Amino acid sequence: MKRVMVIKARVLSPFGKGWHSSASPWFILAAALLLLCLCYTFLLTRGALNASTVQMEQWLLGRPITRADCVLLEWRNVGNALFILLGTILLGVVCMLLGYRWPVLPSLVALLFICLVCEGTGKVVLRQPIPQAVSASMPALGCPQIYTQPSSARLSAAAGMWWNIPPASQEVVERIHALSEQPLLSEWYYRARSYPGGHAMRGSFLGILVCWFCWRHIKRRAIRVPLMALALLVAFGVGFIQFYIGAHLITDTIAGYLLGIAAACCAIGLLLLNAPRQQRAAPS
């Protein structure tokens, strides 16, 4: 009778009682963030965020425009879909080498694919109203002068050498700053292909995952803390850069963060369910 009960327990809970209890909070958190994103999207579609969004963009148009914007323009490429996909695959391979079960790699890739589908669907279906004057001026925040420079200028920007990049024209700077002081709550038009922010979603997905992985597997504090800080910088930095250089609205960025962190929490739960046996009882 005792043996039958043990077998039944293994069938119902193949990863162990403590293991399920350690993974379930991450799934609950993922569901809560997804629900929050849906509520946020509902408010967006009802127009409740229009005025606050324009106020935030006006503040952004009044910020200093420097050659450092060109550096940020290049650094945001860390959040491109190809880089994040390669990083996700690499993380999955490392997990498998550490003894995680084989479903880890396809699960991580599948979650990233779901994020990309949500991004593509949202940018086709959802369109945000924004004054035409704001939309026409936002590209000037993203270092437009670099596109007329040789490729060496972009390499200098990627290396952080902002002093090798020509500054924006004074006329453009004055026009944008003057626009930031004008009332822009009228003359709406619909801006397509922006919601949710893909860089914010992809960066937060992989960044949170790597941060958790470093916290769990790297024992030396001197190595673990810098790597976790770098992962968090990527998680939230690439999305903020997209907003800062005028490539996305603040609503795009917030929704991208919510989706990306929700997917990362779900991925952490899956990692816990597929971890090596000796780590199943470890606290998460």
Side-chain angles (χ1 to χ4, degrees), residues 113-210:
F113 177 75
I114 293 173
C115 288
L116 295 176
V117 171
C118 293
E119 176 190 355
T121 303
K123 289 182 177 180
V124 171
V125 175
L126 300 175
R127 300 186 178 185
Q128 300 180 75
I130 185 173
Q132 186 172 2
V134 173
S135 179
S137 301
M138 286 174 63
L141 298 173
C143 186
Q145 69 270 22
I146 200 172
Y147 296 106
T148 60
Q149 301 298 314
S151 57
S152 59
R154 304 201 67 164
L155 293 176
S156 297
M161 296 185 292
W162 54 267
W163 54 87
N164 291 335
I165 305 167
S169 66
Q170 188 64 27
E171 180 183 355
V172 172
V173 174
E174 292 177 355
R175 177 175 58 85
I176 293 176
H177 287 174
L179 183 63
S180 67
E181 300 175 356
Q182 299 177 7
L184 297 172
L185 297 180
S186 60
E187 299 180 0
W188 301 93
Y189 96 109
Y190 284 93
R191 170 182 176 155
R193 300 181 61 82
S194 64
Y195 185 94
H199 283 69
M201 180 181 62
R202 295 186 296 266
S204 58
F205 170 73
L206 184 59
I208 295 296
L209 266 180
V210 173

Side-chain angles (χ1 to χ4, degrees), residues 60-95:
L60 188 64
L61 291 175
R63 71 167 177 80
I65 299 177
T66 67
R67 289 179 286 183
D69 299 335
C70 302
V71 176
L72 298 178
L73 178 69
E74 296 300 319
W75 285 0
R76 64 151 182 191
N77 292 327
V78 175
N80 287 349
L82 179 59
F83 288 164
I84 298 300
L85 175 61
L86 293 176
T88 302
I89 293 175
L90 179 60
L91 179 62
V93 171
V94 172
C95 288

Side-chain angles (χ1 to χ4, degrees), residues 8-282:
K8 184 177 180 181
R10 289 179 179 176
V11 172
L12 294 177
S13 183
F15 300 101
K17 181 179 178 180
W19 199 229
H20 276 295
S21 63
S22 64
S24 58
W26 292 99
F27 292 123
I28 295 173
L29 180 58
L33 289 171
L34 182 58
L35 179 61
L36 181 60
C37 183
L38 292 175
C39 294
Y40 187 78
T41 303
F42 175 77
L43 293 176
L44 179 78
T45 58
R46 303 299 295 179
L49 305 176
N50 289 348
S52 58
T53 300
V54 173
Q55 291 174 0
M56 183 63 70
E57 300 307 320
Q58 280 190 288
W59 169 84
L60 188 64
L61 291 175
R63 71 167 177 80
I65 299 177
T66 67
R67 289 179 286 183
D69 299 335
C70 302
V71 176
L72 298 178
L73 178 69
E74 296 300 319
W75 285 0
R76 64 151 182 191
N77 292 327
V78 175
N80 287 349
L82 179 59
F83 288 164
I84 298 300
L85 175 61
L86 293 176
T88 302
I89 293 175
L90 179 60
L91 179 62
V93 171
V94 172
C95 288
M96 294 179 66
L97 293 176
L98 291 176
Y100 283 76
R101 290 156 55 92
W102 68 266
V104 163
L105 179 56
S107 298
L108 295 181
V109 175
L111 281 172
L112 179 59
F113 177 75
I114 293 173
C115 288
L116 295 176
V117 171
C118 293
E119 176 190 355
T121 303
K123 289 182 177 180
V124 171
V125 175
L126 300 175
R127 300 186 178 185
Q128 300 180 75
I130 185 173
Q132 186 172 2
V134 173
S135 179
S137 301
M138 286 174 63
L141 298 173
C143 186
Q145 69 270 22
I146 200 172
Y147 296 106
T148 60
Q149 301 298 314
S151 57
S152 59
R154 304 201 67 164
L155 293 176
S156 297
M161 296 185 292
W162 54 267
W163 54 87
N164 291 335
I165 305 167
S169 66
Q170 188 64 27
E171 180 183 355
V172 172
V173 174
E174 292 177 355
R175 177 175 58 85
I176 293 176
H177 287 174
L179 183 63
S180 67
E181 300 175 356
Q182 299 177 7
L184 297 172
L185 297 180
S186 60
E187 299 180 0
W188 301 93
Y189 96 109
Y190 284 93
R191 170 182 176 155
R193 300 181 61 82
S194 64
Y195 185 94
H199 283 69
M201 180 181 62
R202 295 186 296 266
S204 58
F205 170 73
L206 184 59
I208 295 296
L209 266 180
V210 173
C211 182
W212 174 87
F213 183 85
C214 293
W215 174 79
R216 188 174 180 86
H217 291 283
I218 298 178
K219 304 302 180 183
R220 296 187 60 180
R221 183 185 182 92
I223 300 177
R224 182 179 70 246
V225 173
L227 289 179
M228 290 177 63
L230 180 60
L232 291 177
L233 181 63
V234 172
F236 297 101
V238 292
F240 178 78
I241 288 175
Q242 284 289 85
F243 162 70
Y244 189 77
I245 64 174
H248 273 297
L249 302 174
I250 187 62
T251 48
D252 306 334
T253 305
I254 293 175
Y257 283 149
L258 291 175
L259 285 174
I261 298 174
C265 291
C266 184
I268 291 172
L270 292 174
L271 287 174
L272 289 171
L273 290 178
N274 291 280
R277 287 182 177 272
Q278 63 272 19
Q279 296 184 16
R280 292 179 182 176

